Amino acid sequence: MTDPVVLLPTPRVPRPAVVLEDRPVAGRKRVLLAAPRGYCAGVDRAVVAVDKALDHYGAPVYVRKQIVHNKHVVAELEQRGAIFVEEVDEVPEGSHLVFSAHGVSPMVKEAAADRNLRTIDATCPLVTKVHREATRFSKKGQQILLIGHDGHEEVEGTAGHGGDRVTIVNNPDEADTVVVDDPDNVVWLSQTTLSVDETMETVNRLRTRFPNLQNPPSDDICYATTNRQAAIKNIAAEADLVIVVGSANSSNSVRLVEVALQYGAKAAYRIDFAEEIQQAWLDGVATIGVTSGASVPEVLVEEAMAALATAGYADVAEVETAVEDLMFSLPKELRQELKNDDRALGGRAARA
């Protein structure tokens, strides 16, 4: 189910203008701009859910953890009246609470119900799919090897759905040492925002030890993570420098830096904002690759591009490797509330 897109006006967190020096380099200065980049459907859905909740209920609306892993988005929503908390016991009883796009465990939902919180579940539907798989495999008595980063909100949520049948495998090396109860009754799942290559290396090393390791019904790594990694792979070998716009706690943004370096970029850095671009990074650089993580609004990329243009990188070629048109409908709790509202339901990827 999809909804028409409507751009909702939101206060902008002001950012300083950035002016860099236009120093000579060997060769023609240019930017290769990756496409697709930025907001995915799950992020768009989660952010607009908080937007709509603020519009409909008024401030404050509480959000458990960051709605998505992006400093700018969180700051904007705070400006509108969203209050971000770590746990549900920080939320006044009876208040509206949004669960983030990364998902939560059943225990978190129970704690929210105990406080009579009016919850809106903005978990990405692709993460919900993994939750269902974890629940199903756990009920069947299978041991679940969950490939992901211990401590990440998404991994915590998925592990909560699988209970004591889940063992987290953080990286390929841990695949060589993980202990299972029954090698013939093991299945793997993964965090949705991992490096595709590293995840498959982990799976292959697990399968060497456990030949009967079962696969999930479909790939757990989300389409947006896969597409953004494929796009930067296509650019990296030509790039003297890759700049990834995204926050430090954004797993998929951090992975883009790693993938860029792995596939031939001479240097790669992650930034939240244009003012973090360092002049020294540009010394001797002719070709710059630019991309952004799946929780990054396009305005931050535009500001980075404007900063690079002041340094002479005004020749921009978009390198498109996939077209994304997927949209998710709003959480059912909001759809029910807003069904008689004359405002359209929709996304905000171009405006945050």
Side-chain angles (χ1 to χ4, degrees), residues 2-41:
T2 61
D3 299 312
V5 174
V6 59
L7 303 184
L8 305 175
T10 301
R12 280 292 314 281
V13 177
R15 308 297 321 166
V18 179
V19 178
L20 298 164
E21 295 179 33
D22 186 354
R23 298 175 180 173
V25 300
R28 175 171 58 91
K29 287 186 175 182
R30 61 174 180 156
V31 173
L32 301 179
L33 181 61
R37 61 185 177 276
Y39 267 17
C40 65

Side-chain angles (χ1 to χ4, degrees), residues 122-162:
T123 303
C124 173
L126 300 180
V127 175
T128 299
K129 176 185 79 71
V130 183
H131 288 178
R132 290 172 179 158
E133 291 170 350
T135 299
R136 179 161 57 88
F137 293 135
S138 178
K139 286 180 177 178
K140 290 171 63 177
Q142 293 179 281
Q143 185 166 354
I144 300 164
L145 298 181
L146 177 55
I147 302 170
H149 300 133
D150 201 1
H152 189 281
E153 291 104 297
E154 183 187 327
V155 171
E156 290 178 349
T158 300
H161 284 266

